[in-house]
């Protein structure tokens, strides 16, 4: 049996969805995009072009929900399937778009550079429990106009895994799409084997701005999967009650489903988000708050009720260092998210309210993800009935260390984390240098940087990627990219 | 306790008092109390300047200090600020008559390309709560618009907020646009990616990490 956790009854889910639909139809929402407004008017929505306002109809909403795919798959740069977003399948991806990186040497946060992103990609490439990479932070040594596409470029060059990403402007989408086409060769191949997921955010309350709504329809045009990232903040930009926040989240997310599905029915989507409770003491949006995590799991139940694959920003921490708080908040989040069956869990590596990435934490979180995979595998009888033979053997041999039964099942039954999680006895731990968690993590980061094997993407494709990126950089007046010699 | 002292106390305890008189009427009840105390103080012959300074503003100063020490929540600060605003509105004709200026005049907005306005809105609310006149230009404000509005409104402070690494350079451009136009207002910046270092580098007059320190900073910039 796969263990699960639930926060909402089906009745409550129905009530929440009904309220959300009623809000979209009676109060409506703002969409600052004339193209989308005309499209909605064509579908008989009541549109006020001058005020960028639209009242949706129940018909449109239900139609969009019906055409949205119930599942989809992702593929790495080589075209191998890595993800199946369906049912209760769970995949982890590093938290995305941090402002800073936590420098292990100095324990200080600082602005990241190209080399940091390359190191990040080399590490993610080798972390087996994190299925995709993400454009996790912004190298600040390139022109700001290319900072979104540049991250995607580096990801595709250094890591084979699919990429969770997003654009900062409407214009950037073009080159970000071209980079993907360089890997996949044609639009139809890209559609058949999606390589990225784009985050597209409505603005709470009930608004889509020009940039993110344009990104949304551009993705739809090329069948590039998107995740909707609504961020209602309970007690500030959303009702303080978690149910009220869920109603708002549902309305905002459904509006995204409508835009994408009317633009191109069948476009793959993740019913996602990054809601948070608002901390009235510190004016912050804590991702490690238990109520934030409950809201995430609960809207995932709503997504599942609508038969849509889901995503959430969860399993991250608000701590400023790699300390006990960082561990416990990430651990609670990952456990709840995995139990809830959130299909794409964005979180590993992140501290400080989704604003700082840490390479060391990625290594730790990879082990945490491994543990949660074991957790959701549940307790399954494996050659356990009848029980007599194995107990006979135990009584005869006095142990089962060499038993065939042990050898056959030990790897499936017991997950062995390490080197981050320490399970050595004290003596052995001392002999191995009595290292604390930070030291063990830092060693592992250095080891992974040495064991990294370059991506097997054909050299010609790599060259095409470099060419595209250089062209884009030149367009913004940057003639030289701070890349290591092998790529220039 | 004098009426002015009671007024100060009312501002400090506005949240508590509204909670006691829970329900639809709580806001109206606060308004009635504020107006009654102001009327009584004026009838006693207390100068308007003191009703403001020793009552409304002194109350808000205490609230601000408590918030900075994490003793109270932002919502409590904003309820106090709302009570203070009720008093200011009631006194508006007298304030004009007495020629009393607001604590300062501040222009605020998020930088071009940036739509994150939650932090900026909080800063604006807190500045208003501290007696500043705030002109909010909203989101995605071009450098030239900041400069032009700062000039035409004759503000003392221009406040800029940025939440994206990619929009931060707009702050430097705004400072330049202000210089080019000869606008002498002080500049103050903030937002998650912004640091004091960055503020120094681009020649901003001040940086604040949160809304409470933004108020202190604004006060220090105009004294
Ligand atoms: C004038 O003087 C002053 C003085 C002090 C000042 C000041 C001015 N301004 C602020 N302060 C200070 O005082 C305030 C009160 O204490 C504080 O303000 P803050 O704003 O810091 O604090 C607020 C009270 C609470 N904090 C917030 O409101 C921001 C929270 C996070 C989660 C966030 C939110 C909510 C949103 N977002 Co966005 N968002 C994130 C944020 C992550 C984070 N941890 O910051 C961040 C900033 N966003 C990010 C991104 C990438 C994006 N967002 C986007 C959109 C959105 C939403 C619309 C969904 C929503 C904003 C809604 C709104 N109305 O503002 C997109 C951009 C849109 C655009 N062009 O602006 C988009 C590009 C995503 C996309 N692909 O579409 C990341 C930035 C990455 C980077 N390196 O630049 C990000 C760090 C999250 C992440 N990890 O992805 C202080 O900074």
């Amino acid at each position: 049996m796969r263990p699960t956790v639930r926060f909402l009854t089906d009745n409550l889910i129905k009530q929440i969805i009904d309220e959300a639909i009623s809000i979209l139809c009676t109060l409506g929402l703002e969409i600052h995009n004339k193209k989308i407004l005309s499209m909605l008017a064509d579908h008989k929505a009541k549109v006020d072009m001058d005020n960028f306002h639209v009242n949706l109809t129940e018909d449109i909403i239900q139609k969009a929900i019906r055409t949205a795919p119930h599942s989809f798959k992702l593929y790495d740069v080589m075209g191998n399937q890595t993800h199946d977003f369906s049912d209760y399948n769970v995949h982890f991806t590093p938290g995305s778009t941090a402002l800073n990186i936590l420098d292990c040497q100095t324990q200080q946060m600082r602005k990241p550079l190209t080399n940091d992103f390359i190191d990040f990609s080399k590490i993610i490439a080798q972390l087996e429990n994190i299925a995709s990479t993400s454009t996790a932070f912004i190298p600040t040594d390139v022109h700001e106009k290319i900072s979104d596409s540049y991250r995607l470029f580096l990801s595709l060059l250094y890591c084979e895994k699919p990429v969770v990403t997003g654009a900062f402007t409407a214009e950037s989408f073009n080159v970000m799409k071209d980079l993907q086409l360089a890997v996949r060769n044609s639009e139809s191949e890209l559609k058949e084997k999606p390589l990225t997921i784009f985050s597209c955010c409505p603005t709470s309350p009930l608004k889509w701005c020009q940039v993110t709504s344009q990104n949304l329809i551009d993705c739809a045009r090329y069948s590039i999967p998107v995740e909707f990232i609504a961020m209602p903040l309970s007690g500030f930009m959303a009702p303080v009650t978690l149910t009220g926040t869920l109603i708002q989240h549902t309305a905002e997310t459904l509006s995204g489903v409508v835009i994408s599905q009317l633009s191109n029915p069948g476009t793959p989507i993740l019913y996602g988000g990054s809601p948070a409770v608002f901390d009235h003491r510190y004016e912050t949006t804590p991702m490690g708050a238990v109520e934030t995590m409950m809201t995430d799991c609960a809207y995932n139940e709503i997504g599942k009720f609508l038969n849509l694959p889901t995503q959430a920003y969860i399993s991250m921490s608000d701590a400023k260092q790699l300390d006990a708080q960082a561990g416990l908040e990430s651990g609670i989040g990952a456990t709840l998210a995995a139990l809830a069956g959130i299909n794409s869990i964005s979180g590993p590596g992140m501290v400080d309210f989704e604003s700082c990435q840490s390479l060391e934490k990625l290594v730790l979180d990879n082990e945490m993800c491994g543990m949660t995979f074991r957790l959701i595998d549940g307790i399954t009888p494996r050659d356990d009935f009848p029980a007599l033979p194995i107990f006979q053997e135990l009584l005869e041999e006095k142990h089962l260390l060499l038993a065939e039964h042990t050898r056959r099942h030990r790897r499936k039954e017991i997950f062995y984390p390490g080197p981050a999680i320490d399970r050595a006895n004290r003596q052995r731990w001392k002999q191995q240098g009595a290292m604390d968690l930070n030291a063990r993590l830092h060693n592992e980061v250095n080891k992974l940087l040495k064991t990294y094997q370059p991506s097997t993407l054909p050299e010609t494709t790599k060259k095409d990627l470099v060419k595209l990126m250089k062209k884009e950089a030149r367009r913004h007046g940057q003639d030289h990219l701070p890349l290591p010699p092998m790529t220039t | 306790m004098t009426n002015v002292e009671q007024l100060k106390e009312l501002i400090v305890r506005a949240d508590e008092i509204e909670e006691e008189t829970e329900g639809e009427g709580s806001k109206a009840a606060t308004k009635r109390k504020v107006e009654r105390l102001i009327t009584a103080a004026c009838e006693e012959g207390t100068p308007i300047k003191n009703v403001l300074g020793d009552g409304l503003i002194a109350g808000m100063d205490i609230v601000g200090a408590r918030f900075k020490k994490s003793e109270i929540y932002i919502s409590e600060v904003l309820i106090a600020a709302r009570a203070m605003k009720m008093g200011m509105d009631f006194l508006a004709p007298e304030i004009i008559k007495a020629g009393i200026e607001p604590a300062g005049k501040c222009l605020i907005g998020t930088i071009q390309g940036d739509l994150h306005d939650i932090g900026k809105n909080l800063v604006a609310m807190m500045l208003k709560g501290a007696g500043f006149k705030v002109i909010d230009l909203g989101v995605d404000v071009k450098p030239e618009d900041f400069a032009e509005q700062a000039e035409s409104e004759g503000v003392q402070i221009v406040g800029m907020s940025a939440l994206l690494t990619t929009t931060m350079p707009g702050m430097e451009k705004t400072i330049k646009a202000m210089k080019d136009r000869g606008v002498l207002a002080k500049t103050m910046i903030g937002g998650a990616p912004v640091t004091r270092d960055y503020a120094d580098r681009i020649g901003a007059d001040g940086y604040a990490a949160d809304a409470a320190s933004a108020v202190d900073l604004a006060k220090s910039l105009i004294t």
Side-chain angles (χ1 to χ4, degrees), chain A residues 418-462:
Chain A
I421 304 289
D422 167 45
R423 287 185 184 166
N425 64 37
R426 177 168 287 275
Q427 197 51 35
R428 179 104 161 251
W429 173 73
K430 274 188 174 165
Q431 279 164 4
Q432 288 173 347
M435 281 187 289
D436 68 4
L437 178 67
N438 272 300
R440 293 196 297 278
L441 292 173
H442 190 53
N443 276 355
E444 185 63 10
V445 164
N446 284 336
K447 196 186 111 201
L448 290 173
L449 291 177
K450 287 198 190 100
T451 54
Y452 168 77
Q453 294 295 317
S455 155
T456 53
L457 198 65
E459 286 307 312
T460 47
T461 313
K462 288 185 184 171

Side-chain angles (χ1 to χ4, degrees), chain A residues 96-99 138 167-168 199 201-204 212 231 278 283 285 350 353-355, chain B residues 108 113-120 122-123 159-161 163-165 188-192 208-211 214:
Chain A
S96 185
T97 329
L99 302 162
I138 297 181
F168 294 164
S199 303
C201 312
T203 303
S204 292
T212 57
M231 299 185 194
F278 190 72
E283 310 155 41
T285 54
M350 203 62 114
F353 312 95
E354 69 185 47
S355 74
Chain B
I108 196 164
D114 211 314
L115 303 165
H116 296 87
D117 63 356
I118 294 172
K120 181 267 297 170
L122 266 183
V123 172
M160 297 166 252
S161 179
L163 262 284
L164 295 170
T165 327
M188 121 177 163
I189 64 173
D210 52 41

Side-chain angles (χ1 to χ4, degrees), chain B residues 27 54 87 89 103 131 215:
Chain B
K27 202 168 113 188
D54 303 337
D89 289 349
V215 171

